[in-house]
Amino acid sequence: GQLINGGGTLGLSGAYNVRYMGSSYMTGAEIGTGLDSLWVNVPIADTVWMSSDISTASYMKLNSGVLALNNHNLTVNGIYLTTVNGSILSNALSGITLNSTAGITGALNFSMGGDTINNLTVNIGAGTNLSLGTNLYVAGMLTLTQGNLKITSHTLTIGTAGNISGAGFLSTTNLSTLNVLATAGVANPVNFVGSSLGTLNLNMGATSTFALGNDLTVSMSLNLQNGLLVLGGHNIHITGDIAAGGSGKLVSTNASNVYLVGTMSPSGSLTFDNSGNSVSSIIINEGAGNSVSLASTLNVEGIMNLVGGSICNIQGDTLNVATTGRIIGSGALGINSASALNMLTNSGGTIGPL
C-alpha cells in the first residue's frame, strides 16, 4: 500500500524502522530524524524513490528492488546489508556515506544507467572491505576515511571534477581498472592494497598529479594519457603493457625503484618528467631481445639491471649513471648518434653490447 499525507502530521517518537514492501514507492513523511533502520524489499523491477535525504542510525538492508537516490543523499550509520537483487540508482547530484564499522554484507550495486555518484564516503573500519558489485563513476569526492573500497573486477572512474582523499585504501586485483580523469589531479597520495592493479589510466591536466601512497604493481596496462604519476618515494612494478600514444609522465626520485617485467616489448615508451627523473634502481626483465624505450632523460643512482637479454633503448635521449650507480645484467643498451650516455660510476659493473 501507500502512505498518503492528506495534510496531517505523522507523529513518530523514539527510534523506529521503515520497511518498503510490495511495489514501487516514493518516500515521504515516514522518513524522519528518529529513523533507526531502512529495509527495501520490493520486487526486483520496482523502485523506491527518495524524496529527501535519508540517514539511518543502525542499519540498512537493500534486499530486493531499486533504491533511487533521486538527487538526494543517503547516509548509513551501522550495518549495511545488500543482495544481488538490490541496487542503487544514482546520478551526479546524489551522495552516499557509509559509516559502518559494525559490518558490511554484500556489495555496493548500482543499476544500469545509474552508476554515477557525486560524493562517496567510505568509513567502515580498518581492514574492512566495501566491494563494488558494478562499475562506478565518481563525479565529485571519493573520501576513503577508513577501510578498503574493493574494486574487484570492475572499473572505478574518478570524473573530470573528481578527487580522492582520506587514509583508507583502494583494494584491487589484476582485473581491476582505475580511470582518473580529474582535470585538477588528485590532491593527496592514494593508498592501494591487493596483489596488483590491472589497469591504471590517467587522463588529467598536463601538469596535474596522481601520487602513490605505497608501492604499486600494474599487471595489465599503464596508460599515461595526460598528467603526472608521482611515485613519491615508492616503487612501481609494471608487469603488463605501457600504452602507446600518451603524453603523461612519471615523476620519481632516487628513493624509488622501477621494475619492468614481462614477456614482450611494451607498446609505448617510459617517460620521466624533468621535475623528477631519477631512480634508485631500474630493473628491466622483458625477455631476450625485447626492449623498453626511454623517451626522456633518466638518472640512475643505484643499479640498472638488464636481465636475460632485455634491451633498454635510449635512442635520442640521455642516460646518466651516477657515481653510486652501475649497469649490470646480460642485456644491452640501444643507442644512436643522438643518444647521450654519461657514466659517472665508480661502482663497477658491466654493460652489454651497445
Side-chain angles (χ1 to χ4, degrees), residues 134-156:
T134 57
N135 297 337
L136 178 61
Y137 183 103
V138 179
M141 177 67 75
L142 173 61
T143 303
L144 303 173
T145 304
Q146 189 172 240
N148 308 327
L149 178 61
K150 194 171 185 178
I151 304 176
T152 62
S153 59
H154 300 292
T155 298
L156 173 64

Side-chain angles (χ1 to χ4, degrees), residues 1 38 48 50 52 94 103 109 122 130 205 210 213 227 273 321 327:
L38 182 72
V48 174
M50 288 171 49
S52 63
S94 299
N109 301 316
V122 179
L130 171 65
F210 178 93
D273 189 69
V321 180
I327 300 177

Side-chain angles (χ1 to χ4, degrees), residues 21-223:
M21 307 174 72
S23 62
S24 295
Y25 193 89
M26 176 72 76
T27 67
E30 74 279 5
I31 300 300
T33 56
L35 181 64
D36 185 63
S37 66
L38 182 72
W39 187 4
V40 177
N41 191 26
V42 299
I44 192 170
D46 285 348
T47 302
V48 174
W49 297 87
M50 288 171 49
S51 63
S52 63
D53 293 348
I54 291 180
S55 180
T56 67
S58 292
Y59 78 86
M60 175 180 170
K61 186 174 183 180
L62 185 51
N63 190 64
S64 179
V66 178
L67 178 63
L69 303 188
N70 198 27
N71 299 347
H72 297 292
N73 299 315
L74 172 67
T75 300
V76 178
N77 298 299
I79 299 172
Y80 178 76
L81 305 98
T82 185
T83 73
V84 294
N85 294 324
S87 63
I88 293 173
L89 181 68
S90 182
N91 60 31
L93 298 177
S94 299
I96 297 177
T97 298
L98 290 176
N99 298 312
S100 188
T101 56
I104 301 288
T105 300
L108 190 61
N109 301 316
F110 290 87
S111 302
M112 184 176 296
D115 58 357
T116 293
I117 197 167
N118 183 19
N119 300 320
L120 174 62
T121 298
V122 179
N123 183 21
I124 57 174
T128 303
N129 290 318
L130 171 65
S131 297
L132 292 182
T134 57
N135 297 337
L136 178 61
Y137 183 103
V138 179
M141 177 67 75
L142 173 61
T143 303
L144 303 173
T145 304
Q146 189 172 240
N148 308 327
L149 178 61
K150 194 171 185 178
I151 304 176
T152 62
S153 59
H154 300 292
T155 298
L156 173 64
T157 299
I158 307 301
T160 55
N163 210 329
I164 303 175
S165 68
F169 292 80
L170 290 178
S171 177
T172 61
T173 72
N174 65 341
L175 299 177
S176 304
T177 296
L178 176 61
N179 297 323
V180 182
L181 312 178
T183 303
V186 173
N188 300 304
V190 177
N191 300 317
F192 291 88
V193 64
S195 58
S196 64
L197 168 63
T199 300
L200 176 60
N201 297 318
L202 298 186
N203 194 6
M204 311 178 296
T207 59
S208 297
T209 60
F210 178 93
L212 299 183
N214 52 9
D215 295 351
L216 178 65
T217 296
V218 180
S219 61
M220 297 296 290
S221 177
L222 176 64
N223 188 355

